[in-house]
mmCIF file of all heavy atoms in Angstrom:
data_model
loop_
_atom_site.group_PDB
_atom_site.id
_atom_site.type_symbol
_atom_site.label_atom_id
_atom_site.label_comp_id
_atom_site.label_asym_id
_atom_site.label_seq_id
_atom_site.Cartn_x
_atom_site.Cartn_y
_atom_site.Cartn_z
ATOM 1 N N ARG K 126 7.087 -2.515 27.902
ATOM 2 C CA ARG K 126 7.562 -2.545 26.527
ATOM 3 C C ARG K 126 6.397 -2.183 25.564
ATOM 4 O O ARG K 126 6.724 -1.371 24.603
ATOM 5 C CB ARG K 126 8.070 -3.929 26.089
ATOM 6 C CG ARG K 126 9.310 -4.374 26.657
ATOM 7 C CD ARG K 126 9.738 -5.597 25.764
ATOM 8 N NE ARG K 126 10.887 -6.340 26.422
ATOM 9 C CZ ARG K 126 11.650 -7.095 25.539
ATOM 10 N NH1 ARG K 126 11.172 -7.514 24.328
ATOM 11 N NH2 ARG K 126 12.584 -7.818 26.047
ATOM 12 N N VAL K 127 5.198 -2.693 25.808
ATOM 13 C CA VAL K 127 4.087 -2.280 24.941
ATOM 14 C C VAL K 127 3.716 -0.889 24.984
ATOM 15 O O VAL K 127 3.688 -0.275 23.994
ATOM 16 C CB VAL K 127 2.900 -3.220 25.331
ATOM 17 C CG1 VAL K 127 1.607 -2.727 24.670
ATOM 18 C CG2 VAL K 127 3.033 -4.776 25.012
ATOM 19 N N ARG K 128 3.684 -0.346 26.249
ATOM 20 C CA ARG K 128 3.368 1.065 26.233
ATOM 21 C C ARG K 128 4.448 2.005 25.561
ATOM 22 O O ARG K 128 4.129 2.973 24.883
ATOM 23 C CB ARG K 128 3.374 1.479 27.740
ATOM 24 C CG ARG K 128 2.014 1.211 28.326
ATOM 25 C CD ARG K 128 1.698 1.792 29.706
ATOM 26 N NE ARG K 128 0.675 0.996 30.337
ATOM 27 C CZ ARG K 128 0.968 -0.080 31.129
ATOM 28 N NH1 ARG K 128 2.239 -0.394 31.455
ATOM 29 N NH2 ARG K 128 -0.023 -0.796 31.611
ATOM 30 N N ARG K 129 5.708 1.621 25.818
ATOM 31 C CA ARG K 129 6.879 2.239 25.271
ATOM 32 C C ARG K 129 6.743 2.361 23.731
ATOM 33 O O ARG K 129 6.916 3.310 22.993
ATOM 34 C CB ARG K 129 8.178 1.683 25.747
ATOM 35 C CG ARG K 129 9.378 2.336 25.169
ATOM 36 C CD ARG K 129 9.723 3.609 25.923
ATOM 37 N NE ARG K 129 10.623 4.413 25.075
ATOM 38 C CZ ARG K 129 11.850 4.712 25.588
ATOM 39 N NH1 ARG K 129 12.257 4.259 26.735
ATOM 40 N NH2 ARG K 129 12.640 5.449 24.831
ATOM 41 N N ALA K 130 6.497 1.137 23.216
ATOM 42 C CA ALA K 130 6.480 0.911 21.737
ATOM 43 C C ALA K 130 5.257 1.697 21.165
ATOM 44 O O ALA K 130 5.352 2.367 20.112
ATOM 45 C CB ALA K 130 6.367 -0.640 21.420
ATOM 46 N N LEU K 131 4.162 1.739 21.735
ATOM 47 C CA LEU K 131 3.020 2.521 21.320
ATOM 48 C C LEU K 131 3.227 4.023 21.349
ATOM 49 O O LEU K 131 2.924 4.783 20.407
ATOM 50 C CB LEU K 131 1.663 2.213 22.091
ATOM 51 C CG LEU K 131 1.076 0.900 21.860
ATOM 52 C CD1 LEU K 131 0.060 0.560 22.830
ATOM 53 C CD2 LEU K 131 0.382 0.863 20.453
ATOM 54 N N ALA K 132 3.962 4.467 22.379
ATOM 55 C CA ALA K 132 4.286 5.903 22.453
ATOM 56 C C ALA K 132 5.324 6.255 21.331
ATOM 57 O O ALA K 132 5.273 7.223 20.666
ATOM 58 C CB ALA K 132 4.970 6.236 23.805
ATOM 59 N N ASP K 133 6.231 5.337 21.163
ATOM 60 C CA ASP K 133 7.303 5.505 20.090
ATOM 61 C C ASP K 133 6.682 5.706 18.669
ATOM 62 O O ASP K 133 7.182 6.475 17.899
ATOM 63 C CB ASP K 133 8.244 4.329 20.027
ATOM 64 C CG ASP K 133 9.429 4.456 20.958
ATOM 65 O OD1 ASP K 133 9.761 5.481 21.518
ATOM 66 O OD2 ASP K 133 10.120 3.365 21.158
ATOM 67 N N VAL K 134 5.584 5.014 18.473
ATOM 68 C CA VAL K 134 5.026 5.114 17.101
ATOM 69 C C VAL K 134 3.953 6.093 17.045
ATOM 70 O O VAL K 134 3.316 6.342 15.990
ATOM 71 C CB VAL K 134 4.459 3.794 16.468
ATOM 72 C CG1 VAL K 134 5.619 2.762 16.526
ATOM 73 C CG2 VAL K 134 3.392 3.198 17.468
ATOM 74 N N GLY K 135 3.747 6.934 18.147
ATOM 75 C CA GLY K 135 2.627 7.886 18.182
ATOM 76 C C GLY K 135 1.258 7.289 18.119
ATOM 77 O O GLY K 135 0.390 7.930 17.413
ATOM 78 N N LEU K 136 1.068 6.298 18.779
ATOM 79 C CA LEU K 136 -0.267 5.593 18.827
ATOM 80 C C LEU K 136 -0.771 5.509 20.177
ATOM 81 O O LEU K 136 -0.756 4.385 20.754
ATOM 82 C CB LEU K 136 -0.290 4.286 18.009
ATOM 83 C CG LEU K 136 -1.531 3.672 17.686
ATOM 84 C CD1 LEU K 136 -2.192 4.362 16.607
ATOM 85 C CD2 LEU K 136 -1.275 2.226 17.032
ATOM 86 N N GLU K 137 -0.952 6.663 20.856
ATOM 87 C CA GLU K 137 -1.236 6.543 22.308
ATOM 88 C C GLU K 137 -2.681 6.417 22.623
ATOM 89 O O GLU K 137 -3.288 7.256 23.035
ATOM 90 C CB GLU K 137 -0.584 7.778 23.119
ATOM 91 C CG GLU K 137 0.961 7.440 23.026
ATOM 92 C CD GLU K 137 1.744 8.820 23.458
ATOM 93 O OE1 GLU K 137 2.114 9.574 22.631
ATOM 94 O OE2 GLU K 137 2.021 8.903 24.644
ATOM 95 N N LEU K 138 -3.126 5.054 22.417
ATOM 96 C CA LEU K 138 -4.471 4.769 22.505
ATOM 97 C C LEU K 138 -4.524 3.913 23.921
ATOM 98 O O LEU K 138 -3.594 3.285 24.169
ATOM 99 C CB LEU K 138 -5.000 3.967 21.355
ATOM 100 C CG LEU K 138 -5.169 4.672 20.076
ATOM 101 C CD1 LEU K 138 -5.294 3.703 18.963
ATOM 102 C CD2 LEU K 138 -6.283 5.781 20.046
ATOM 103 N N PRO K 139 -5.804 3.804 24.473
ATOM 104 C CA PRO K 139 -5.858 2.874 25.502
ATOM 105 C C PRO K 139 -5.602 1.429 25.193
ATOM 106 O O PRO K 139 -5.891 1.102 23.987
ATOM 107 C CB PRO K 139 -7.409 2.990 25.939
ATOM 108 C CG PRO K 139 -7.942 4.156 25.170
ATOM 109 C CD PRO K 139 -7.079 4.516 24.242
ATOM 110 N N LEU K 140 -4.883 0.655 26.028
ATOM 111 C CA LEU K 140 -4.620 -0.669 25.656
ATOM 112 C C LEU K 140 -5.680 -1.569 25.259
ATOM 113 O O LEU K 140 -5.686 -2.419 24.389
ATOM 114 C CB LEU K 140 -3.753 -1.309 26.795
ATOM 115 C CG LEU K 140 -2.536 -0.755 27.122
ATOM 116 C CD1 LEU K 140 -1.769 -1.441 28.310
ATOM 117 C CD2 LEU K 140 -1.536 -0.609 25.896
ATOM 118 N N GLU K 141 -7.007 -1.145 25.767
ATOM 119 C CA GLU K 141 -8.054 -1.924 25.411
ATOM 120 C C GLU K 141 -8.789 -1.509 24.090
ATOM 121 O O GLU K 141 -9.773 -1.996 23.677
ATOM 122 C CB GLU K 141 -9.264 -1.779 26.467
ATOM 123 C CG GLU K 141 -8.988 -1.694 27.933
ATOM 124 C CD GLU K 141 -8.197 -0.564 28.345
ATOM 125 O OE1 GLU K 141 -8.608 0.615 28.253
ATOM 126 O OE2 GLU K 141 -7.051 -0.786 28.714
ATOM 127 N N HIS K 142 -8.250 -0.439 23.510
ATOM 128 C CA HIS K 142 -8.898 0.056 22.339
ATOM 129 C C HIS K 142 -9.031 -0.999 21.285
ATOM 130 O O HIS K 142 -8.008 -1.735 21.092
ATOM 131 C CB HIS K 142 -8.074 1.244 21.661
ATOM 132 C CG HIS K 142 -8.715 1.884 20.560
ATOM 133 N ND1 HIS K 142 -9.591 2.938 20.869
ATOM 134 C CD2 HIS K 142 -8.611 1.827 19.292
ATOM 135 C CE1 HIS K 142 -9.929 3.524 19.673
ATOM 136 N NE2 HIS K 142 -9.464 2.787 18.776
ATOM 137 N N PRO K 143 -10.181 -1.226 20.617
ATOM 138 C CA PRO K 143 -10.347 -2.353 19.592
ATOM 139 C C PRO K 143 -9.462 -2.104 18.363
ATOM 140 O O PRO K 143 -9.515 -0.988 17.862
ATOM 141 C CB PRO K 143 -11.825 -2.234 19.257
ATOM 142 C CG PRO K 143 -12.309 -1.034 19.728
ATOM 143 C CD PRO K 143 -11.408 -0.478 20.740
ATOM 144 N N SER K 144 -8.719 -3.072 18.033
ATOM 145 C CA SER K 144 -7.823 -2.929 16.965
ATOM 146 C C SER K 144 -8.569 -2.874 15.553
ATOM 147 O O SER K 144 -7.969 -2.312 14.577
ATOM 148 C CB SER K 144 -6.569 -4.056 16.869
ATOM 149 O OG SER K 144 -7.202 -5.335 17.217
ATOM 150 N N SER K 145 -9.729 -3.467 15.506
ATOM 151 C CA SER K 145 -10.499 -3.425 14.267
ATOM 152 C C SER K 145 -10.985 -1.991 14.029
ATOM 153 O O SER K 145 -11.339 -1.684 12.824
ATOM 154 C CB SER K 145 -11.765 -4.285 14.471
ATOM 155 O OG SER K 145 -12.574 -3.893 15.475
ATOM 156 N N ALA K 146 -10.950 -1.110 14.957
ATOM 157 C CA ALA K 146 -11.444 0.228 14.801
ATOM 158 C C ALA K 146 -10.291 1.177 14.346
ATOM 159 O O ALA K 146 -10.567 2.371 14.107
ATOM 160 C CB ALA K 146 -12.058 0.808 15.989
ATOM 161 N N LEU K 147 -9.293 0.695 13.997
ATOM 162 C CA LEU K 147 -8.094 1.562 13.585
ATOM 163 C C LEU K 147 -8.228 1.696 12.049
ATOM 164 O O LEU K 147 -8.613 0.891 11.264
ATOM 165 C CB LEU K 147 -6.760 0.929 13.900
ATOM 166 C CG LEU K 147 -6.580 0.674 15.373
ATOM 167 C CD1 LEU K 147 -5.102 -0.030 15.568
ATOM 168 C CD2 LEU K 147 -6.612 1.917 16.202
ATOM 169 N N SER K 148 -7.770 2.936 11.717
ATOM 170 C CA SER K 148 -7.625 3.204 10.179
ATOM 171 C C SER K 148 -6.332 2.503 9.601
ATOM 172 O O SER K 148 -5.576 1.942 10.434
ATOM 173 C CB SER K 148 -7.427 4.741 10.001
ATOM 174 O OG SER K 148 -6.109 5.071 10.299
ATOM 175 N N GLY K 149 -6.298 2.407 8.348
ATOM 176 C CA GLY K 149 -5.241 1.786 7.715
ATOM 177 C C GLY K 149 -3.773 2.331 8.187
ATOM 178 O O GLY K 149 -2.922 1.450 8.535
ATOM 179 N N GLY K 150 -3.750 3.522 8.279
ATOM 180 C CA GLY K 150 -2.559 4.139 8.796
ATOM 181 C C GLY K 150 -2.135 3.769 10.143
ATOM 182 O O GLY K 150 -1.039 3.537 10.660
ATOM 183 N N GLN K 151 -3.145 3.826 10.939
ATOM 184 C CA GLN K 151 -3.046 3.407 12.488
ATOM 185 C C GLN K 151 -2.643 1.999 12.572
ATOM 186 O O GLN K 151 -1.770 1.626 13.416
ATOM 187 C CB GLN K 151 -4.311 3.734 13.111
ATOM 188 C CG GLN K 151 -4.640 5.205 13.390
ATOM 189 C CD GLN K 151 -6.035 5.467 13.939
ATOM 190 O OE1 GLN K 151 -6.976 4.842 13.551
ATOM 191 N NE2 GLN K 151 -6.058 6.421 14.824
#
Side-chain angles (χ1 to χ4, degrees):
R126 282 197 191 193
V127 167
R128 280 194 202 90
R129 177 79 196 243
L131 284 170
D133 271 347
V134 300
L136 197 64
E137 286 169 270
L138 296 168
L140 296 180
E141 322 59 67
H142 191 86
S144 41
S145 61
L147 300 179
S148 72
Q151 289 171 322

